[in-house]
Amino acid sequence: MQGLDSYVIQHGEGVTAFVGLDATRLAHARTVYIALKACKAGMRLTRAATPTRAFELATKITGKAYKRGQYEQAMADVRAWILAMESALPVIDKRKEG
């Protein structure tokens, strides 16, 4: 693990640690993706988690601007970013260690 700036550690069933700036951004992007899905379905997560805010966060991740109602495009772009980051970050599997 020495020399790695960012990585993901899987400790067990449902337990994952995101270590480093890029790994933390990955966790954030996953949360934004879920927020976009919820907003598209008409859910209101919290008073501050509005569809507009979800689009603002998606813009920060992807660098593309989104207008009201562009859920599919924003979700596709954020998902592409997530997949690229998942393939770039090393994953350390601690489940195999006894």
Side-chain angles (χ1 to χ4, degrees):
M1 285 192 301
Q2 293 179 346
L4 296 176
D5 290 338
S6 292
Y7 50 93
V8 178
I9 302 175
Q10 293 181 339
H11 289 286
E13 196 63 37
V15 179
T16 304
F18 295 90
V19 181
L21 183 60
D22 287 336
T24 305
R25 286 180 178 156
L26 172 61
H28 180 254
R30 287 179 172 179
T31 304
V32 170
Y33 180 79
I34 296 300
L36 286 165
K37 281 178 66 172
C39 288
K40 180 183 177 211
M43 293 178 63
R44 195 65 189 261
L45 305 174
T46 66
R47 191 181 323 176
T50 63
T52 301
R53 182 67 179 145
F55 286 130
E56 288 172 358
L57 294 172
T59 297
K60 285 184 180 181
I61 293 167
T62 65
K64 299 177 183 177
Y66 302 100
K67 294 183 180 183
R68 185 173 26 147
Q70 289 185 308
Y71 294 105
E72 292 296 331
Q73 184 62 46
M75 288 168 49
D77 293 343
V78 170
R79 185 71 182 141
W81 189 93
I82 289 170
L83 292 174
M85 189 58 77
E86 284 175 343
S87 66
L89 288 176
V91 177
I92 300 166
D93 194 352
K94 296 273 189 170
R95 295 176 292 187
K96 297 175 185 173
E97 297 176 6

